[in-house]
C-alpha cells in the first residue's frame, strides 16, 4: 500500500552540497510572482528550496511553466534558446513537469516529465515526454556492489557460462570479456575469486547518497520508466519502455542509442552500442559497438565488442567479440563462445534436459559456426574455426581439430570430421575472416584487445596438438589387422608403400619408433585417402577422421605460415629486412610460452595469466584498471612472444634446433609458406569467380549488364585487390627473410 506522509506548511529543503550552490541564488520576489502566474507550485510556499543562476540574464522565469518543485532544486541557466536534435526542436526551460531533488545544467529542456526525482542533469539535455524518471539513494547503476546495510543476497551477479550460477561474475563499469573470462573459468581458486569481488568493490564508499545522472548533451524522449540510471554524454534514448538499474556508457566519439520498446534491467551498456526495437536485456554487460535489436533477449550474459544480436535468445552466456546471431529461431544457452562466431537460423544450442540438473555447458573456440538447425548435447567443446554441418548431434562432442568440418553420419553413429577443411575447400572464408573483422572494428577506444588473425598462437597451439593426434591415430591405423585396415582404406595409390609401413609398424619396439613410422607414412603417402577412428571426439561412438594425410599436410603448412608471419612481424617492428644468426639469438632470449589462452579475444600466455593471479592475490594489483594495464603490457610484448613461439614451432616440426637447420629446411619452409599464401589468393579469386561463371548464379539476371549492376565485377572487388597486393608484399618479404640463414 502507498504510504502517506503529511507535509508541514513549510516543507524544508534537503541538505545540499555547497559546491552545487556556487554561482547560485534564491529566487527574487518578482521571479516567484512570475512562476506562480505560470501555474508553478513549490512544496515550500516561500520558494526557498529553488536555486537559480546568479549570473544576470541567465534565469528567465517565463520559461518555467505549469511545473512542480519539491525537495531541493538547483537550476542552471534558463534563457531564451532552443535545442534541436534531428527533427525535434524545443524551447529551453521546464514545462508541465514535476521535479524533486534535482540539479540541472545550463540550457536544458525538461518538458512533460511527469516525475523527475533525485537526478543530476548535465547541460544541453533534452527530456521530453517521460512518465517516470527517479533514482533511489542506494542505486548501483547495474554494478555488482553493495550499499551500507545491504545483505549479500542483494548483490547483482551475472551467471555466465552455466545455468547453475557457479561461474557467475559481478558486473562493473568498464568490464570487458577478458575480465569475465578469467573470473568465470578459474573457479577452483577461492582466494582469487574473493579478490575479484574486492577489486569490484574498490572505490565504493557504500554510502546511501546516490543520485541518478544524465550527462551533457543527452536526449531522452517518449519513454515510460527510467529508474536508477546513469546516462553518459551524447546518449540518445527514444521510446524505451523500462530502463532500471543501468549504466549507459556513451561519449561524443562513441554515442550510444536506445530505441523503441526496449527493456534494460540490471546491467551496463557499452560505448557506441545500439539497442532497438523491443530488445530485452536483464543482468548483462553489453560491450562496445554492439547491436541488440528486433526483440532479442539477452539474459545473464556478457556480450563482447562488435557483436550483433537480433531476434534470438541468449541466456547465461559469455560471448567474446565479433559474435553474429540474427535469426528469430535460434537460441544460445550456457555457453562460452570465444568470438568471431556466427549462429545460424534454427540453431538451438543449449538445453536443461541433457543431464540430471541444468548444469551442462559448451565451450567453443573462436570462429565457431554451427549450421542451420544444429543442436548439441551438453557438455561439448569445439576447437577454433570449427564448421558444423546441419544436424542434431545426440552425443557430447569434443572436437579438438581446428579449421575442421564436422558432419553427422547418415550410415553410422560416428561423427565425420575433415581436419583443416577450411584450407582444403573454404580458403576464401578464412582469408576474408582475416580482413573483415579488423575492418569492422568501429571502436574508437579499444580496451579489449582482439586477435582477429586466424593464424595466431591459440590456433597454432591447437594445430600442433592435432598434428600429434593425427600421427598417433595413424599409428593405430597401421597396426590394424589386415581386414580392418582394408575397410578403413578408401583410396591407396601406393599399396606397396602401405604394406611396407604396416610391416615397420608391426616391428616397432617402442612408442617413439611407432610414432616415427606413422609420421613418415603421412609424409610419404600424401595422396592416400583412409579413415582414422578418434574415440575422444564424441561420447560413445567416437568420430571418423576423413582425409587425415591431406589434413596433416595442411596443418603443417598452417604452422609454418604462422611461424613465418610472426617472424616477419617481429622483423618489421625491429626494422630488420633479413634475419641473421644474431637476430635468432635475440629472439631466443625472449621468454618462451607454449601454452596460450584466448582471454576475451586477447591471446595471452597461460604463464602470464598465472603471474597476474599471483599479483592480484598478494595485493600488488588492487584494481581492475591495473588488471587492464596488465593486458596492455602483454599486448605490447605480443609480437615478441609470437616470434619466440614461432621458433619453437619450427623446431617441433623438424625435430631439430633452428641453429642446425640446413638450407634445404629453410627452402622447404619457404616453399610451403608460399604455397599457403598463393593458395589463399588463388582460392579467393576462384571462389569469387564462380559468382560470375557459374550458370546457376546467372539465371536470375536478364543479361550480363544487370548481373554486373547487382554483383559488381570481379576486377572491381576491393577485397581481392587488397589481397593481391598484400600477397605480393608477403611473398617478396618471404624471399628475403631466411636468405642469410641458409
Amino acid at each position: 500500500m502507498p504510504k502517506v506522509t503529511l507535509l508541514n506548511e513549510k516543507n524544508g529543503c534537503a541538505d545540499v552540497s555547497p559546491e552545487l550552490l556556487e554561482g547560485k541564488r534564491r529566487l527574487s520576489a518578482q521571479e516567484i510572482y512570475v512562476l506562480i502566474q505560470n501555474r508553478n507550485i513549490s512544496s515550500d510556499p516561500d520558494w526557498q528550496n529553488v536555486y537559480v543562476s546568479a549570473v544576470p540574464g541567465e534565469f528567465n522565469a517565463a520559461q518555467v511553466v505549469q511545473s512542480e518543485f519539491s525537495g531541493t532544486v538547483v537550476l542552471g541557466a534558463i534563457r531564451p534558446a532552443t535545442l534541436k536534435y534531428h527533427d525535434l526542436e524545443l524551447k529551453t526551460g521546464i514545462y508541465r513537469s514535476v521535479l524533486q531533488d534535482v540539479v540541472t545544467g545550463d540550457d536544458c529542456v525538461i518538458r512533460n516529465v511527469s516525475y523527475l526525482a533525485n537526478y543530476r542533469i548535465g547541460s544541453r539535455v533534452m527530456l521530453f515526454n517521460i512518465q517516470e524518471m527517479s533514482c533511489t539513494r542506494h542505486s548501483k547503476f547495474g554494478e555488482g556492489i553493495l550499499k551500507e546495510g545491504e545483505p549479500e543476497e542483494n548483490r547483482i551477479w551475472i551467471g555466465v557460462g552455466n545455468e547453475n550460477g557457479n561461474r557467475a561474475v559481478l558486473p562493473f563499469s568498464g568490464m570487458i570479456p577478458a575480465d569475465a573470462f578469467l573470473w568465470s573459468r578459474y573457479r577452483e581458486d577461492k582466494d582469487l575469486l574473493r579478490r575479484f569481488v574486492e577489486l569490484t568493490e574498490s572505490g565504493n564508499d557504500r554510502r546511501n547518497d546516490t543520485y541518478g545522472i544524465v550527462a551533457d548533451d543527452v536526449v531522452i524522449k517518449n519513454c515510460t520508466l527510467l529508474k536508477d540510471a546513469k546516462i553518459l554524454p551524447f546518449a540518445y534514448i527514444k521510446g524505451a519502455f523500462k530502463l532500471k538499474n543501468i549504466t549507459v556508457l556513451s561519449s561524443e566519439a562513441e554515442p550510444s542509442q536506445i530505441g523503441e520498446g526496449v527493456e534494460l534491467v540490471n546491467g551496463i551498456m557499452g560505448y557506441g552500442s545500439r539497442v532497438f526495437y523491443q530488445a530485452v536485456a536483464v543482468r548483462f554487460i553489453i560491450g562496445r559497438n554492439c547491436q541488440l535489436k528486433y526483440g532479442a533477449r539477452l539474459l545473464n550474459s556478457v556480450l563482447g565488442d562488435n557483436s550483433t544480436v537480433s531476434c534470438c535468445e541468449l541466456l547465461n552466456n559469455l560471448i567474446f567479440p565479433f559474435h553474429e546471431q540474427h535469426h528469430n529461431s535460434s537460441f544460445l544457452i550456457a555457453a562460452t563462445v570465444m568470438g568471431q562466431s556466427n549462429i545460424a537460423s534454427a540453431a538451438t544450442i543449449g538445453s536443461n534436459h541433457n543431464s540430471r540438473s541444468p548444469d551442462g555447458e559448451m565451450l567453443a573456440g573462436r570462429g565457431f559456426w554451427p549450421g542451420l538447425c544444429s543442436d548439441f548435447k551438453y557438455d561439448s567443446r569445439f576447437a577454433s574455426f570449427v564448421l558444423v554441418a546441419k544436424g542434431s548431434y545426440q552425443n557430447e562432442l569434443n572436437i579438438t581439430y581446428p579449421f575442421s568440418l564436422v558432419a553427422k553420419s547418415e550410415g553410422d553413429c560416428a561423427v565425420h570430421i575433415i581436419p583443416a577443411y577450411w584450407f582444403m575447400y573454404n580458403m576464401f572464408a578464412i582469408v576474408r575472416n582475416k580482413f573483415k573483422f579488423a575492418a569492422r572494428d568501429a571502436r574508437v577506444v579499444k580496451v579489449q584487445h582482439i586477435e582477429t588473425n586466424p593464424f595466431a598462437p591459440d590456433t597454432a597451439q591447437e594445430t600442433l596438438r592435432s598434428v600429434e593426434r593425427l600421427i598417433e591415430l595413424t599409428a593405430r591405423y597401421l597396426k590394424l589387422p589386415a581386414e580392418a585396415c582394408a575397410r578403413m582404406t578408401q583410396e591407396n595409390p601406393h599399396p606397396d608403400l602401405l604394406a611396407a609401413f604396416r610391416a615397420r609398424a608391426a616391428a616397432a619396439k617402442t612408442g617413439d619408433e611407432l610414432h616415427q613410422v606413422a609420421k613418415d607414412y603421412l609424409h610419404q603417402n600424401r595422396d592416400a585417402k583412409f579413415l582414422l577412428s578418434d574415440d575422444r571426439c564424441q561420447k560413445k561412438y567416437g568420430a571418423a577422421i576423413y582425409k587425415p594425410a591431406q589434413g596433416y599436410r595442411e596443418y603443417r603448412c598452417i604452422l609454418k605460415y604462422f611461424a613465418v608471419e610472426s617472424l616477419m612481424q617481429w622483423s618489421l617492428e625491429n626494422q630488420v629486412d633479413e634475419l641473421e644468426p644474431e637476430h635468432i639469438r635475440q629472439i631466443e632470449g625472449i621468454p618462451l610460452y607454449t601454452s596460450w589462452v584466448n582471454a576475451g579475444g586477447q591471446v595471452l600466455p597461460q604463464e602470464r595469466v598465472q603471474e597476474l593471479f599471483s599479483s592480484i592475490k598478494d595485493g600488488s594489483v588492487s584494481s581492475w584498471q591495473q588488471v587492464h594495464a596488465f593486458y596492455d603490457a602483454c599486448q605490447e610484448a605480443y609480437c615478441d612472444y609470437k616470434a619466440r613461439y614461432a621458433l619453437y614451432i619450427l623446431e617441433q616440426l623438424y625435430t631439430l634446433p633452428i641453429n642446425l637447420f640446413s638450407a634445404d629446411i629453410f627452402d622447404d619452409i619457404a616453399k610451403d609458406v608460399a604455397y599457403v599464401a598463393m593458395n589463399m589468393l588463388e582460392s579467393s579469386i576462384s571462389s569469387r569467380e564462380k559468382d560470375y561463371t557459374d550458370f546457376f548464379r546467372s539465371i536470375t539476371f536478364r543479361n550480363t549488364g544487370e548481373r554486373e549492376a547487382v554483383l559488381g565485377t570481379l576486377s572491381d572487388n576491393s577485397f581481392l585487390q587488397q589481397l593481391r597486393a598484400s600477397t605480393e608484399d608477403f611473398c617478396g618479404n618471404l624471399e628475403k627473410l631466411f636468405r642469410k640463414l641458409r
Side-chain angles (χ1 to χ4, degrees):
M1 295 291 291
K3 181 181 178 181
V4 176
T5 301
L6 297 177
L7 301 177
N8 296 326
E9 185 180 20
K10 280 194 170 235
N11 184 250
C13 304
D15 292 336
V16 62
S17 301
E19 64 269 15
L20 293 177
L21 299 182
E22 292 180 6
K24 304 297 180 184
R25 62 174 175 82
R26 286 197 166 97
L27 297 166
S28 68
Q30 177 61 29
E31 289 166 338
I32 293 172
Y33 175 79
V34 173
L35 290 172
I36 293 173
Q37 290 300 305
N38 285 345
R39 301 181 302 283
N40 295 292
I41 300 171
S42 173
S43 60
D44 182 350
D46 295 332
W47 290 80
Q48 296 297 294
N49 61 328
V50 177
Y51 296 83
V52 298
S53 174
V55 178
E58 285 197 352
F59 177 68
N60 183 0
Q63 290 175 242
V64 181
V65 178
Q66 203 172 333
S67 296
E68 182 176 336
F69 303 89
S70 61
T72 301
V73 177
V74 182
L75 303 177
I78 298 179
R79 50 199 169 190
T82 61
L83 283 184
K84 183 175 181 180
Y85 187 81
H86 294 167
D87 293 331
L88 180 65
E89 185 171 6
L90 298 171
K91 186 178 180 181
T92 58
I94 303 171
Y95 306 89
R96 294 179 296 280
S97 299
V98 175
L99 281 67
Q100 176 182 320
D101 294 321
V102 172
V103 178
T104 74
D106 298 335
D107 302 312
C108 293
V109 173
I110 302 177
R111 184 183 292 263
N112 301 341
V113 181
S114 299
Y115 183 63
L116 174 60
N118 192 28
Y119 265 84
R120 293 190 183 175
I121 310 296
S123 297
R124 300 172 303 280
V125 170
M126 300 179 74
L127 304 180
F128 177 57
N129 289 348
I130 302 171
Q131 289 190 21
E132 179 183 344
M133 188 170 171
S134 62
C135 182
T136 59
R137 299 289 178 181
H138 55 79
S139 175
K140 276 79 71 179
F141 305 119
E143 300 203 30
I145 59 176
L146 293 176
K147 292 294 186 177
E148 186 178 3
E150 288 188 315
E152 186 63 33
E153 53 265 27
N154 280 19
R155 198 185 292 276
I156 298 297
W157 292 85
I158 301 180
V160 300
N162 197 306
E163 289 180 273
N164 68 3
N166 287 333
R167 293 194 184 276
V169 301
L170 292 177
F172 58 88
S173 184
M175 176 178 247
I176 59 176
D179 306 327
F181 174 78
L182 297 181
W183 196 334
S184 67
R185 300 308 299 184
Y186 296 85
R187 305 300 289 193
E188 71 281 6
D189 193 335
K190 302 303 180 186
D191 290 338
L192 179 65
L193 299 184
R194 176 182 55 80
R195 286 288 294 137
F196 281 149
V197 175
E198 292 173 0
L199 296 188
T200 305
E201 284 281 2
S202 177
N204 174 26
D205 60 17
R206 298 177 63 88
R207 290 184 298 181
N208 289 306
D209 59 355
T210 309
Y211 47 83
I213 294 175
V214 178
D216 295 346
D217 301 289
V218 169
V219 176
I220 306 175
K221 67 178 186 179
N222 301 324
C223 295
T224 303
L225 173 65
L226 288 87
K227 186 170 185 179
D228 298 343
K230 179 189 290 186
I231 315 295
L232 268 60
F234 292 93
Y236 177 39
I237 302 173
K238 60 173 181 176
F241 177 67
K242 182 179 184 180
L243 307 179
K244 182 177 180 182
N245 192 33
I246 67 163
T247 294
V248 178
L249 301 174
S250 180
S251 67
E252 184 173 13
E254 296 177 286
S256 295
Q257 297 184 27
I258 298 174
E260 292 84 355
V262 167
E263 295 185 55
L264 302 179
V265 179
N266 296 335
I268 298 167
M269 177 176 166
Y271 288 93
S273 289
R274 298 162 294 284
V275 182
F276 293 134
Y277 310 129
Q278 292 79 47
V280 176
V282 179
R283 293 183 183 248
F284 65 91
I285 294 281
I286 296 174
R288 273 182 147 93
N289 189 41
C290 291
Q291 293 190 60
L292 189 70
K293 54 189 178 180
Y294 301 128
R297 281 95 58 206
L298 181 74
L299 312 174
N300 260 305
S301 296
V302 173
L303 182 66
D305 299 352
N306 299 312
S307 294
T308 299
V309 171
S310 62
C311 307
C312 53
E313 179 179 10
L314 296 91
L315 177 67
N316 295 99
N317 295 302
L318 171 55
I319 298 175
F320 292 7
F322 291 110
H323 178 82
E324 295 286 329
Q325 188 173 351
H326 34 77
H327 303 283
N328 194 46
S329 51
S330 65
F331 70 86
L332 183 67
I333 294 177
T336 298
V337 182
M338 295 186 169
Q340 299 161 50
S341 41
N342 195 319
I343 308 300
S345 180
T348 54
I349 302 173
S351 171
N352 284 344
H353 308 294
N354 292 332
S355 68
R356 294 169 184 82
S357 61
D359 58 1
E361 58 188 43
M362 182 185 77
L363 181 64
R366 59 192 179 103
F368 179 59
W369 198 322
L372 298 169
C373 306
S374 298
D375 65 83
F376 308 102
K377 184 171 183 180
Y378 282 16
D379 297 298
S380 286
R381 183 179 65 167
F382 299 89
S384 301
F385 295 96
V386 169
L387 177 63
V388 185
K390 174 181 178 179
S392 179
Y393 295 84
Q394 300 299 312
N395 297 283
E396 295 88 336
L397 298 176
N398 178 35
I399 309 302
T400 58
Y401 300 94
F403 307 107
S404 63
L405 171 68
V406 178
K408 188 173 173 59
S409 168
E410 296 295 334
D412 55 45
C413 294
V415 294
H416 294 180
I417 300 174
I418 301 179
Y421 169 86
W422 292 61
F423 290 88
M424 287 189 271
Y425 303 107
N426 200 20
M427 182 67 85
F428 178 76
I430 271 290
V431 178
R432 185 168 175 265
N433 280 353
K434 186 177 180 180
F435 288 90
K436 78 175 182 181
F437 290 120
R440 292 179 182 179
D441 191 349
R443 299 172 301 163
V444 175
V445 179
K446 300 178 180 180
V447 177
Q448 174 65 69
H449 302 289
I450 306 172
E451 176 58 270
T452 58
N453 192 341
F455 304 97
D458 59 335
T459 52
Q461 172 180 260
E462 293 173 335
T463 302
L464 194 59
R465 291 172 182 167
S466 296
V467 165
E468 289 301 309
R469 183 62 174 168
L470 289 175
I471 295 172
E472 178 185 343
L473 297 178
T474 300
R476 294 186 193 176
Y477 162 76
L478 293 174
K479 294 201 71 173
L480 287 172
E483 289 186 8
C485 183
R487 285 198 303 270
M488 300 294 281
T489 303
Q490 298 174 299
E491 182 179 323
N492 182 20
H494 308 291
D496 294 340
L497 190 64
L498 175 59
F501 272 94
R502 281 176 50 77
R504 285 180 57 188
K509 293 182 171 57
T510 66
D512 289 342
E513 286 184 25
L514 181 59
H515 181 275
Q516 188 61 49
V517 170
K519 186 175 180 179
D520 291 344
Y521 180 75
L522 289 169
H523 277 282
Q524 298 179 36
N525 205 14
R526 294 176 176 178
D527 298 329
K529 295 181 181 178
F530 54 96
L531 301 180
L532 299 177
S533 179
D534 194 334
D535 56 333
R536 297 180 187 174
C537 290
Q538 180 188 213
K539 186 176 181 179
K540 194 174 181 179
Y541 297 110
I545 310 300
Y546 281 70
K547 301 187 177 180
Q550 292 80 1
Y552 175 81
R553 167 172 167 72
E554 294 295 335
Y555 276 154
R556 286 181 61 90
C557 289
I558 291 167
L559 289 169
K560 294 174 189 177
Y561 187 93
F562 160 74
V564 167
E565 186 177 51
S566 298
L567 291 172
M568 281 185 179
Q569 290 173 354
W570 184 90
S571 299
L572 181 64
E573 282 206 0
N574 290 273
Q575 299 179 331
V576 172
D577 288 330
E578 300 174 349
L579 289 174
E580 299 184 23
E582 56 264 32
H583 297 136
I584 298 299
R585 288 191 292 272
Q586 184 179 345
I587 295 172
E588 288 177 329
I590 299 168
L592 171 61
Y593 300 111
T594 60
S595 180
W596 300 82
V597 58
N598 178 359
Q602 180 178 4
V603 179
L604 296 172
Q606 182 65 61
E607 289 181 47
R608 293 302 316 272
V609 172
Q610 293 301 328
E611 291 173 18
L612 171 65
F613 291 166
S614 297
S615 298
I616 291 173
K617 289 189 287 187
D618 68 21
S620 54
V621 170
S622 57
S623 70
W624 284 110
Q625 289 76 17
Q626 288 178 297
V627 173
H628 292 178
F630 168 84
Y631 300 150
D632 294 340
C634 288
Q635 189 66 22
E636 288 178 6
Y638 186 45
C639 183
D640 285 348
Y641 295 160
K642 287 195 297 180
R644 182 64 187 93
Y645 189 47
L647 294 188
Y648 169 81
I649 282 180
L650 292 176
E651 291 176 341
Q652 292 295 304
L653 290 176
Y654 290 94
T655 324
L656 197 67
I658 195 165
N659 62 326
L660 298 180
F661 279 17
S662 65
D664 288 342
I665 290 179
F666 283 117
D667 288 342
D668 184 63
I669 294 170
K671 181 184 68 174
D672 282 348
V673 172
Y675 156 78
V676 174
M678 294 308 300
N679 190 26
M680 284 182 181
L681 176 61
E682 292 167 3
S683 296
S684 298
I685 294 173
S686 175
S687 295
R688 194 70 179 100
E689 194 173 34
K690 291 177 183 177
D691 292 336
Y692 302 92
T693 59
D694 184 84
F695 168 75
F696 288 96
R697 287 287 285 154
S698 301
I699 59 177
T700 61
F701 303 107
R702 293 179 296 105
N703 52 48
T704 302
E706 182 189 3
R707 185 189 66 191
E708 290 182 353
V710 174
L711 301 181
T713 64
L714 187 63
S715 59
D716 292 335
N717 188 286
S718 60
F719 165 66
L720 293 180
Q721 291 173 352
Q722 180 185 4
L723 179 60
R724 189 185 300 276
S726 64
T727 302
E728 290 175 358
D729 289 342
F730 182 88
C731 290
N733 292 330
L734 174 62
E735 189 174 335
K736 297 184 294 183
L737 186 66
F738 298 128
R739 184 181 297 166
K740 293 183 178 179
L741 296 177
R742 287 182 169 91

